[in-house]
Amino acid sequence: MEMWAIWLIVAGILLVLEMMTMTFYLLWLCIGSLVAAVVALVAPEAYFWQVVAGCLVALVLTVFTKPLSRKFRAAKGFKDIGTELVGKQGIVVEPIEPGQYGIVKVGGDSWSATATVPIGRDEKVRVLERGSTIIEVERWEEIS
């Protein structure tokens, strides 16, 4: 199989993975693979330069778009629901055991959750911390 075709297959796989994760990092690798495919069309035997060109493009895109994406995130009106979760109250939908995940509903969203103590179904909890897709919770204690 021709090297340019292999680079296109790699780019396609990276594009599909990017659509699943929405991180933009895999998109830059995808574009780097496309550049490597173009180099492979022009210089089929220059494997080293194919890899260098692809890596260089991916690196440049990653470095120069990081400040831009930070600026968009910090722009007025952007809200990350994850940072707003901390301190909010939720209801346990699936019981939580230490070392295992349960499910907690916070607002209208359901989250995988962990806790240091067992928490049963329908108990109120407070969100302590949020990871990428998992929240850490504790029992909700009413303040008198």
Side-chain angles (χ1 to χ4, degrees):
M1 181 179 278
E2 297 289 329
M3 212 45 205
W4 63 267
I6 293 172
W7 283 116
L8 285 180
I9 291 169
V10 169
I13 290 169
L14 288 168
L15 184 62
V16 169
L17 290 173
E18 171 60 38
M19 288 189 280
M20 289 186 218
T21 61
M22 306 275 290
T23 60
F24 281 111
Y25 293 115
L26 295 176
L27 180 62
W28 307 148
L29 293 174
C30 172
I31 293 171
S33 297
L34 291 174
V35 169
V38 170
V39 173
L41 277 171
V42 174
E45 299 299 318
Y47 302 117
F48 174 76
W49 292 112
Q50 295 169 22
V51 173
V52 168
C55 289
L56 195 62
V57 167
L59 182 67
V60 167
L61 285 172
T62 301
V63 168
F64 286 110
T65 58
K66 187 92 169 157
L68 184 62
S69 65
R70 233 185 266 132
K71 190 183 294 184
F72 281 129
R73 291 182 72 95
K76 187 176 181 178
F78 178 82
K79 292 182 181 177
D80 183 4
I81 190 163
T83 57
E84 295 176 355
L85 284 175
V86 176
K88 295 239 176 167
Q89 179 181 349
I91 301 289
V92 177
V93 177
E94 293 289 328
I96 305 169
E97 294 293 327
Q100 297 181 344
Y101 299 119
I103 297 178
V104 172
K105 189 163 190 152
V106 181
D109 297 322
S110 295
W111 293 83
S112 294
T114 61
T116 56
V117 296
I119 303 176
R121 181 182 212 132
D122 295 328
E123 286 191 56
K124 291 181 182 179
V125 292
R126 175 190 334 266
V127 178
L128 296 175
E129 187 178 324
R130 178 205 172 217
S132 57
T133 59
I134 298 168
I135 58 174
E136 185 177 341
V137 297
E138 68 179 356
R139 278 195 179 89
W140 183 272
E141 295 181 20
E142 299 292 332
I143 301 172
S144 304

